[in-house]
Amino acid sequence: TTSYVYLAEVSGSAAAPINPGKGGASSSPAFSQDGSKIAYLQMDAPAYEADRNRIKIYSVANQTTVDVAEGWDRSPSHVDWVDDATLLVTYNEWGRNKLAKVDIATGAITPLVSKHSVGSVRRLEGTDTLLIDYSGFDLPTDLYAVSLNSSAEPKRVTNLNPEITKEMLSPAEDLEFVGADNATIHGFILHPPNFDPEKKYPLAYVIHGGPQSSFLDAWSTRWNLNIFASAGFVTVAMDPQGSTGYGQNFTDAIRNQWGGRPYESLMKSLDQLLDSRPYIDDNRMAALGASYGGYMINWINGHTDRFKALVNHDGMFSTISTYYSTEELYFPETEFEGVPFDEKARENYERWSPERHVAKWKTPTLVIHSEKDYRLVVSEGLSTFTALRRQGVPSRLLYFPDENHWVLKPANSLRWHQEVIGWIKKWTDESHEDKREPSRL
């Protein structure tokens, strides 16, 4: 992941890095207004895409670099200048992508937007106004104006989706439970339209990919939690160990623990959820996930039968076969602390491989995979489907020949949603009789 920020002649005749060395990824370089300094973000650890982004300022004249807000345990994704004394950053914190000012001298953080999520940020020239794209679970993306001098609510500038009204969408409620190692596990819950707490509802338990990412209170056309809520499901999405926005130690806690702490936290959170929300029918639960979330679906299938249905999108079947087929070799080498042809590291790969627990699989599973996925190649999905079908576990394969790790084309997205919602509704329907085929060798 090592990358550099370069200073180059406009003519292209010369270019030199301002941050040479063996560090990790660099990003978001921005000149100060007078051109004398460059602010940028720097990860320290190479071969690790989820290291904390640290804020750096480089002096062009002196060729020296200083750290800003070094003790701040958050990982900004964008940095820019407000003035000579102040920077502007966006960063993930507890399920929101926030916007804040950073005092260069003291490192003090002054939030400007802490609700929902901020995407791109542009300052309107000659003013103290920022133009941002801004969204939430119940707020489709639009442009908003924000003042640099106050934390007032963002003011809407555009209304790109007037046909989508607040009444059609469920707001998110924050959840906090106690997970593995007594860690606080944060997440969100959304309720179906016309929700009545006196009734019983099925549960859609959604698990994010990454694994170093998180559920953000933001709008998306992929894995939009309101889709599941609008289909009649109480929808819950938790951020177990490995998730971002909760400090670097929490993010790092998944390393060589893929089926360990995160699985324990997800199950403990589910237990506490059911204890506190009697309207959730614990006999009508489905779990869904993509990428690492798909890995976790396979892991769940080998470790519990509490769910009536599972959905695995572009997930991992075998940690070892994934190593030899992925385009991102540094990733498993970091996560499992070595290569699978090293005896010690091989134990890590085998310990956390869902394939080792295939004989215990029994939950009906929808398997989704795409031909152009080079992160987790299509054979991972085909292997999952074969393992299910060969044992007589009810299963269905949805294959996209023209998609990658994500399903992006509109017609394919429609089919994806039809299949996913149809599958979890079928197996969690109150009138559905569970006719699983008997296991066979």
Side-chain angles (χ1 to χ4, degrees), residues 63 66 111 136 205 230 280 314 332 350 363 375 380 398 429 436:
Q63 298 184 2
V66 297
Y205 201 48
S230 65
I280 297 176
D314 286 24
E350 292 188 352
T363 305
R375 184 66 38 85
E380 294 299 300
L398 177 60
D429 188 90
R436 306 186 196 188

Side-chain angles (χ1 to χ4, degrees), residues 31 39 85 165 241 243 284 314 341 361 367 419 425:
F31 275 108
T165 64
Q241 281 87 347
S243 301
R284 298 166 61 207
D314 286 24
F341 42 88
W361 288 8
V367 181
E419 293 283 350
K425 288 185 78 169

Side-chain angles (χ1 to χ4, degrees), residues 317-328:
F317 175 74
S318 166
T319 54
I320 295 168
S321 64
T322 291
Y323 176 84
Y324 290 110
S325 59
T326 185
E327 99 293 17
E328 195 181 50

Side-chain angles (χ1 to χ4, degrees), residues 351-370:
R351 180 185 183 188
W352 302 120
S353 183
E355 183 272 337
R356 293 183 62 235
H357 305 279
V358 161
K360 301 175 186 176
W361 288 8
K362 61 180 69 174
T363 305
T365 304
L366 172 63
V367 181
I368 306 169
H369 224 101
S370 299

Side-chain angles (χ1 to χ4, degrees), residues 122-323:
R122 292 291 183 271
R123 187 172 182 174
L124 299 182
E125 189 172 354
T127 75
D128 288 331
T129 299
L130 302 172
L131 189 65
I132 63 173
D133 72 66
Y134 183 63
S135 70
F137 284 128
D138 59 343
L139 188 69
T141 305
D142 268 302
L143 297 179
Y144 285 74
V146 176
S147 172
L148 276 168
N149 302 313
S150 77
S151 57
E153 287 282 319
K155 295 181 179 179
R156 182 191 289 268
V157 175
T158 62
N159 187 15
L160 302 177
N161 296 280
E163 66 279 6
I164 302 178
T165 64
K166 278 281 187 181
E167 293 72 29
M168 299 168 62
L169 302 171
S170 299
E173 176 186 341
D174 287 75
L175 296 172
E176 287 187 13
F177 298 121
V178 178
D181 298 336
N182 291 315
T184 299
I185 307 300
H186 172 262
F188 296 102
I189 184 170
L190 285 75
H191 297 92
N194 304 312
F195 173 70
D196 181 353
E198 299 302 315
K199 295 181 179 179
K200 286 282 192 178
Y201 293 87
L203 173 71
Y205 201 48
V206 187
I207 303 166
H208 69 66
Q212 292 91 355
S213 64
S214 61
F215 285 107
L216 288 176
D217 180 10
W219 189 259
S220 176
T221 57
R222 296 180 300 108
W223 293 93
N224 188 312
L225 299 185
N226 253 298
I227 295 291
F228 305 104
S230 65
F233 290 83
V234 172
T235 303
V236 172
M238 303 303 301
D239 281 346
Q241 281 87 347
S243 301
T244 52
Y246 306 95
Q248 194 60 41
N249 286 341
F250 192 83
T251 299
D252 294 343
I254 194 175
R255 185 174 297 181
N256 198 21
Q257 275 285 314
W258 270 40
R261 294 188 188 104
Y263 174 76
E264 182 181 344
S265 290
L266 286 168
M267 294 303 106
K268 285 186 172 182
S269 295
L270 180 55
D271 291 338
Q272 294 163 70
L273 173 74
L274 295 173
D275 287 343
S276 61
R277 309 279 176 154
Y279 51 80
I280 297 176
D281 188 340
D282 64 0
N283 197 42
R284 298 166 61 207
M285 301 191 299
L288 313 87
S291 195
Y292 171 77
Y295 163 95
M296 183 56 69
I297 292 302
N298 282 347
W299 191 261
I300 283 171
N301 214 351
H303 289 80
T304 181
D305 61 358
R306 69 193 303 181
F307 296 98
K308 288 294 184 183
L310 300 173
V311 177
N312 171 352
H313 173 101
D314 286 24
M316 184 186 294
F317 175 74
S318 166
T319 54
I320 295 168
S321 64
T322 291
Y323 176 84

